[in-house]
């Protein structure tokens, strides 16, 4: 009898340990840092497909969007932050909130789909944003641009989704070199970063966007391959993003893998481990 009691107690203790560990992990992820894999090439070359980073949730304070989501459609699991913390949605405010800065690389919840996106913050509340002939204009003034050579990558399937890059040098065969023009863009507050261009397209010529109060305007660094605030939410873009939808700031890449799985060690990009996001 004593043997059965010991076995039962050991099982209960194991379950309690697992539950406590999950609770601690949940609290840590909700309050401090959230893991994020880069699934697409919209932020190249700043962020590559397969980069893994932790999002600093303390940077902007907390809202309903700070609650973690669990999206595993393959297994029929789609738990969004709204399902858990939706009671805090609706006032577009944050607890311990602080304002993001222009040029920050930010993870946020898509206002309609609820999916997590990562883009660069370009427009602040009250700003006017327009793209003219591929040049970003903020409040009527073109940003400083400097040509900086090219960005080159192999034409091959990338990441778990097996996405293939778009190239400025036309159709490129498997294993060939895909080239994009690179420029250094400097925002009004002095933040400089690389942007990539593929060719002339509609997103290089936009109307004037006036960012509403309490909202932000985001763009991808891979300018011709990014569904961002230049497109309305109903057209597949993200439109203006409310303050409460910000999740956190991307500060540093922790790990990077060019293959389908992080277990394929021969595809690891050691030169990107612990690299700062600028």
């Amino acid at each position: 009898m004593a043997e059965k009691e010991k076995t039962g107690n050991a099982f209960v203790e194991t379950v309690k340990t697992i539950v406590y560990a999950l609770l601690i992990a949940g609290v840590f992820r909700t309050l401090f840092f959230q893991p994020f894999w880069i699934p697409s090439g919209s932020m190249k070359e700043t962020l590559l497909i397969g980069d893994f980073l932790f999002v600093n949730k303390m940077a902007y304070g907390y809202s309903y969007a700070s609650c973690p989501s669990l999206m595993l459609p393959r297994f029929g699991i789609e738990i969004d932050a709204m399902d858990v913390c939706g009671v805090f949605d609706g006032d577009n405010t944050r607890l311990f909130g602080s304002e993001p800065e222009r040029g920050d690389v930010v993870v946020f919840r898509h206002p309609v789909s609820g999916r997590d996106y990562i883009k660069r913050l370009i427009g602040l509340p009250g700003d006017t944003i327009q793209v003219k002939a591929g040049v970003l204009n903020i409040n009527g003034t073109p940003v400083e641009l400097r040509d900086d050579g090219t960005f080159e990558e192999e034409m091959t399937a990338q990441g778990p989704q097996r996405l293939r890059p778009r190239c400025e040098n036309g159709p490129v065969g498997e294993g060939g070199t895909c080239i994009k023009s690179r420029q250094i863009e400097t925002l009004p507050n002095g933040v400089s970063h690389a942007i990539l261009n593929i060719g002339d397209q509609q997103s290089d010529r936009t109307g004037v966007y006036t960012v509403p109060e309490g909202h932000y305007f985001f763009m991808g660094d891979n300018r011709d391959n990014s569904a961002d605030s230049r497109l309305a939410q109903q057209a597949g873009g993200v439109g203006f993003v409310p303050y409460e939808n910000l999740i956190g700031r991307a500060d540093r890449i922790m790990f990077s893998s060019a293959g389908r799985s992080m277990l394929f060690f021969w595809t690891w990009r050691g030169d990107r481990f612990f690299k700062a996001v600028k």
Side-chain angles (χ1 to χ4, degrees):
M1 192 69 172
E3 180 90 16
K4 290 184 178 179
E5 287 181 3
K6 286 182 180 180
T7 302
N9 289 337
F11 176 76
V12 170
E13 290 302 316
T14 300
V15 171
K16 286 168 64 176
T17 299
I18 294 172
V19 170
Y20 292 151
L22 291 174
L23 286 174
I24 292 170
V27 170
F28 184 85
R29 182 176 174 181
T30 300
L31 296 180
F32 302 111
F33 297 97
Q34 175 175 316
F36 189 85
W37 280 97
I38 303 301
S40 75
S42 69
M43 280 295 292
K44 291 178 181 177
E45 63 179 12
T46 305
L47 297 171
L48 303 181
I49 294 175
D51 283 350
F52 175 78
L53 48 85
F54 283 104
V55 180
N56 180 359
K57 288 190 165 186
M58 298 175 285
Y60 311 132
Y62 305 96
S63 71
Y64 89 93
S66 301
C67 285
S69 296
L70 183 60
M71 296 293 184
L72 299 171
R74 181 183 302 179
F75 302 101
I77 300 174
E78 295 196 17
I79 302 174
D80 184 71
M82 186 66 75
D83 300 325
V84 182
C85 297
V87 66
F88 301 112
D89 177 38
D91 57 4
N92 203 24
T93 60
R94 307 181 72 85
L95 182 65
F96 308 122
S98 60
E99 298 293 330
E101 296 183 10
R102 195 191 311 274
D104 284 357
V105 176
V106 180
V107 174
F108 58 88
R109 297 245 189 265
H110 189 286
V112 174
S113 71
R115 302 288 180 176
D116 292 352
Y117 276 57
I118 186 165
K119 307 286 182 184
R120 189 176 298 275
L121 175 55
I122 297 297
L124 304 174
D127 283 346
T128 60
I129 305 293
Q130 185 177 20
V131 181
K132 296 181 180 180
V135 179
L136 172 64
N137 286 248
I138 300 177
N139 296 323
T141 303
V143 298
E144 179 185 332
L145 280 178
R146 173 172 56 86
D147 290 340
D148 191 46
T150 59
F151 170 77
E152 300 182 2
E153 59 185 332
E154 182 183 355
M155 171 53 73
T156 188
Q158 300 177 354
Q161 298 182 53
R162 315 309 291 151
L163 301 177
R164 294 181 180 275
R166 292 178 57 206
C167 313
E168 187 177 15
N169 55 326
V172 175
E174 183 71 20
T177 301
C178 178
I179 301 174
K180 299 177 180 66
S181 297
R182 180 204 284 122
Q183 293 176 301
I184 301 300
E185 179 179 85
T186 301
L187 300 175
N189 60 343
V191 173
S192 295
H193 56 276
I195 62 170
L196 305 181
N197 294 286
I198 299 170
D200 183 57
Q201 58 187 51
Q202 184 59 44
S203 58
D204 291 324
R205 301 176 302 279
T206 73
V208 177
Y209 305 94
T210 300
V211 185
E213 191 64 31
H215 291 71
Y216 297 91
F217 191 97
F218 290 91
M219 294 176 68
D221 290 348
N222 192 2
R223 290 289 162 81
D224 295 336
N225 195 40
S226 175
D228 49 40
S229 292
R230 289 171 290 177
L231 276 176
Q233 297 157 10
Q234 295 77 9
V238 301
F240 301 121
V241 177
Y243 181 43
E244 66 181 354
N245 281 46
L246 307 186
I247 295 174
R249 186 181 64 221
D251 291 332
R252 190 170 296 275
I253 299 165
M254 304 304 294
F255 173 83
S256 184
S257 172
R260 285 186 302 169
S261 169
M262 64 178 292
L263 299 179
F264 295 172
F265 63 87
W266 57 91
T267 66
W268 291 358
R269 306 183 186 106
D271 61 327
R272 298 185 66 79
F273 288 14
F274 309 111
K275 182 178 180 180
V277 177
K278 299 180 180 178

